Amino acid sequence: MSPEPLPATGRRGFLRGAAAATLGVGALAGPAHAVEGGGLPDFAPIPAASTGPRMNPDGYHVGRIAGNLYWVTDSYYQSMFLTTTRGVVLVDAPPTIGHNLLRAIGEVTRVNGRPDKVTHLVYSHSHADHTGAAGLFGTDVVRISHAATAALLARAADPNRPLPTVTFRDKYQLRVGGETLHLAYHGPNHSPDNIYVYAPEYATLMLVDVLYPGWVPFKNLAVSQDIPAWIKAQSIAMDYPWRTFVGGHLGRLGVRADGALQIRYMDDPEASTRSAIAAVDPNPFFAKYGAQGNSWAIFKTFLDAVADAAAAPVAAQYTGVLAAADVFTKDNAWTLLESLRIDAGVLGPFGVRP
């Protein structure tokens, strides 16, 4: 399914977007500093299949997924919204998109003639990188989340992430102006509160920080708090009958083949990590750093060596297939190694002493 682009606007925004694309998403937020040593590392080119639509002159893309369902991206983050006869239902408000969410909604509603006011805002989870622009929509909005999200936001006390006004624990059906979203909680994964947002009429699932269409998962398996549950969430996502996937990150939508490919990517480092735990000789690490009484050095150097050994064949296999396979596969292998040790009991040299 190809989303339908909407027209681009504004030369000034193009200059801003070009600068951001060159310097990085946070480059214009504060003073610049020279890189020590005069250079940055080189990485493999991004596969063409991993790229999405070009950003418009204001630095974002908005397109139709199907019917009255749309998505917005700045190539770093994604949001999704439904236009209804009563107003707009927005899912997440990433701060890097920020005010461009309002511009995107305005573009769409000017074309389809529906109200442009955001009346409902769904939080996928509590993390500020996905919800930190929620304050832009004022107080006159129904904010919906899992109950755990409410508790986490109350602790954060962040004015940019107002507390939800409606919460649920297992399932919630949101019906607004002739449109429907099914919200569901299937247990912790990336975070304790991350939910599945399904638009049944449009066969579209939004699940943030779990599947990364066209790319390897973000560093350390998306910095997830429960790695076994995060891995399981990939299969739960695939159980939904979706055709289009909104993952919350990067610049394109997903199709079912993307989910299957990530699951294969995760199977391969698990196998190579298990092999590396058994294959890497721990004795040199214990001999050198044990004599110094430096226990943390033993752990660090051994675990890094296992992660290196586990990541190398996987990165080589997926470079050119999944974007950034050479960027984050070692970090992901390291996190998988730790999960295998502490969650699955694959302890290697740190097992039961004979």
Side-chain angles (χ1 to χ4, degrees):
M1 176 182 299
S2 298
E4 300 173 15
L6 295 178
T9 59
R11 176 173 172 78
R12 182 178 61 182
F14 170 78
L15 296 175
R16 289 198 305 270
T22 301
L23 298 175
V25 68
L28 303 182
H33 299 280
V35 176
E36 293 291 334
L40 292 170
D42 293 319
F43 296 106
I46 301 301
S50 300
T51 62
R54 286 184 175 273
M55 301 303 102
N56 72 12
D58 286 319
Y60 67 93
H61 168 84
V62 58
R64 176 184 279 121
I65 295 174
N68 295 310
L69 183 66
Y70 298 81
W71 71 301
V72 189
T73 182
D74 61 356
S75 83
Y76 305 100
Y77 285 84
Q78 299 173 355
S79 180
M80 181 175 80
F81 65 92
L82 269 168
T83 61
T84 84
T85 57
R86 288 179 49 200
V88 174
V89 178
L90 177 66
V91 184
D92 279 354
T96 67
I97 305 178
H99 286 84
N100 278 338
L101 289 168
L102 296 169
R103 297 183 182 98
I105 290 167
E107 286 186 39
V108 167
T109 53
R110 279 193 298 273
V111 173
N112 69 15
R114 292 196 160 193
D116 64 357
K117 178 177 173 54
V118 174
T119 58
H120 295 74
L121 175 57
V122 176
Y123 291 154
S124 67
H125 63 305
S126 67
H127 290 171
D129 62 327
H130 292 277
T131 58
L136 294 178
F137 302 97
T139 58
D140 186 22
V141 59
V142 178
R143 295 179 296 274
I144 304 163
S145 79
H146 189 262
T149 302
L152 291 166
L153 291 178
R155 183 180 70 182
D158 180 357
N160 295 314
R161 291 176 285 163
L163 293 178
T165 53
V166 175
T167 63
F168 69 96
R169 292 196 176 275
D170 297 314
K171 294 180 180 179
Y172 186 87
Q173 187 165 275
L174 176 61
R175 293 183 180 273
V176 181
E179 302 291 341
T180 302
L181 288 178
H182 293 174
L183 315 181
Y185 179 69
H186 296 290
N189 48 73
H190 164 69
S191 65
D193 58 327
N194 203 21
I195 64 171
Y196 298 65
V197 181
Y198 184 57
E201 184 175 352
Y202 307 118
T204 297
L205 177 68
M206 183 169 178
L207 174 64
V208 174
D209 287 322
V210 174
L211 294 176
Y212 292 79
W215 294 68
V216 300
F218 183 72
K219 181 180 174 72
N220 299 118
L221 300 180
V223 201
S224 297
Q225 294 167 278
D226 187 330
I227 298 303
W230 179 85
I231 293 171
K232 181 181 178 182
Q234 298 170 67
S235 297
I236 295 174
M238 295 299 286
D239 287 340
Y240 278 80
W242 54 268
R243 293 190 302 269
T244 305
F245 184 82
V246 183
H249 276 284
L250 304 164
R252 78 163 174 87
L253 297 170
V255 296
R256 295 197 67 85
D258 292 313
L261 179 57
Q262 181 170 312
I263 289 172
R264 291 200 301 274
Y265 169 84
M266 287 304 304
D267 287 343
D268 290 337
E270 177 170 355
S272 66
T273 301
R274 287 177 178 271
S275 296
I277 293 171
V280 174
D281 182 5
N283 289 307
F285 307 97
F286 280 91
K288 178 171 183 175
Y289 301 111
Q292 301 171 4
N294 194 337
S295 299
W296 272 180
I298 295 171
F299 272 84
K300 172 180 169 51
T301 54
F302 176 76
L303 296 177
D304 283 351
V306 172
D308 281 335
V314 178
Q317 179 181 351
Y318 286 93
T319 295
V321 178
L322 287 174
D326 57 332
V327 178
F328 280 147
T329 294
K330 178 184 174 181
D331 298 303
N332 290 337
W334 196 98
T335 297
L336 186 57
L337 164 62
E338 275 298 276
S339 178
L340 287 171
R341 288 198 322 111
I342 66 178
D343 296 319
V346 184
L347 295 168
F350 307 107
V352 177
R353 185 182 180 88

